[in-house]
Amino acid sequence: DGLLLDTERLYTVAQQQILDRFNIKFTWEVKSKMMGRKALDAVNIMIDIYKLQNHITAEEFLKERESILDRLFPACELLPGVEKLILHLHEQQVPIAVATSSLIRNFRLKTETKHKELFQLFAHVITGDQVQNSKPYPDIFQIAAKQFDEQIDPQTVLVFEDAPLGVEAALAANMNVVLVSESVKLGTVKCHQHLSSMENFRPELWG
């Protein structure tokens, strides 16, 4: 979400549609606190910030958001530079995997209609339902690394992230991390490289 697929915009659309009832503007500041977390944890944070406890439960919010996103996800597009990089890494036999906080049902909605063949190039996919501790804990990246056939030294792993919490998780896993985000202000998040778009990534700089 937000790294490979243009879905973060869809989450914002769905969230705002619900929040309109309460005359609340969904801001980047709140969104950045939610990104990378499991869905229920993220919505609980939002409800706490906007003090909506007496108006809607996290479970009710999620159910309503899910029905909106179910209509939007199948049409989502790849972000610029993503297809080129995935094909390049696959051709160069660089092992690649997906580690996403999304639930498996949502991952399938986003990928199986338009992008099934491309996502089959990944060795495996780890989703939010497979980990106990979500980002900023390092669990999802550690599990993804362990799923490869060979033993992986974490310091030889390169993680791509679009969320500050995900960057924290990658660093906690002792891995290298490239933050790909236009929304995060340059220099505000500790990472090994910060790019505005995947189009700007140069594989040769990372060997």
Side-chain angles (χ1 to χ4, degrees):
D1 289 314
L3 179 80
L4 303 177
L5 296 162
D6 187 17
T7 48
E8 279 304 332
R9 179 180 56 82
L10 304 182
Y11 279 104
T12 299
V13 168
Q15 302 253 139
Q16 189 60 63
Q17 198 169 315
I18 301 168
L19 290 172
D20 280 344
R21 289 208 302 273
F22 309 106
N23 295 314
I24 290 171
K25 171 71 176 165
F26 186 49
T27 65
W28 163 251
E29 186 184 1
V30 175
K31 186 183 176 88
S32 66
K33 290 180 169 67
M34 298 171 66
M35 289 170 67
R37 297 185 191 272
K38 288 185 178 179
L40 191 61
D41 294 341
V43 171
N44 269 315
I45 285 170
M46 184 207 69
I47 284 176
D48 190 48
I49 292 171
Y50 290 135
K51 297 180 171 48
L52 290 171
Q53 294 89 339
N54 297 327
H55 302 283
I56 191 168
T57 66
E59 289 79 6
E60 288 167 344
F61 192 99
L62 275 177
K63 189 175 180 181
E64 191 172 341
R65 190 181 77 177
E66 199 170 86
S67 68
I68 300 169
L69 291 172
D70 281 356
R71 299 192 301 269
L72 299 175
F73 278 155
C76 71
E77 300 289 351
L78 294 168
L79 286 166
V82 167
E83 183 173 24
K84 182 181 177 184
L85 179 60
I86 292 172
L87 292 174
H88 171 75
L89 294 173
H90 178 70
E91 286 164 8
Q92 299 302 315
Q93 298 183 328
V94 176
I96 51 176
V98 172
T100 173
S101 300
S102 288
L103 302 179
I104 186 68
R105 74 173 292 280
N106 289 342
F107 175 80
R108 286 174 176 157
L109 275 172
K110 296 165 193 170
T111 59
E112 291 191 349
T113 302
K114 299 177 77 169
H115 313 296
K116 191 170 185 177
E117 286 184 16
L118 188 69
F119 277 83
Q120 284 174 343
L121 300 181
F122 288 94
H124 49 269
V125 175
I126 305 298
T127 55
D129 6 30
Q130 293 174 264
V131 294
Q132 191 169 356
N133 300 311
S134 58
K135 303 166 186 176
Y137 290 96
D139 303 30
I140 197 164
F141 295 128
Q142 292 168 334
I143 292 167
K146 284 176 184 171
Q147 291 286 317
F148 289 109
D149 293 335
E150 57 191 288
Q151 192 167 354
I152 304 286
D153 176 357
Q155 293 187 342
T156 66
V157 174
L158 181 59
V159 173
F160 292 91
E161 260 294 342
D162 71 307
L165 280 176
V167 173
E168 278 186 59
L171 294 175
N174 201 25
M175 296 173 179
N176 304 285
V177 58
V178 174
L179 173 62
V180 185
S181 174
E182 281 185 311
S183 304
V184 178
K185 192 176 175 184
L186 201 64
T188 58
V189 174
K190 179 188 173 188
C191 58
H192 294 93
Q193 188 178 20
H194 186 168
L195 304 173
S196 59
S197 165
M198 196 74 93
E199 282 186 303
N200 302 329
F201 180 69
R202 298 290 172 261
E204 63 273 17
L205 298 180
W206 290 92

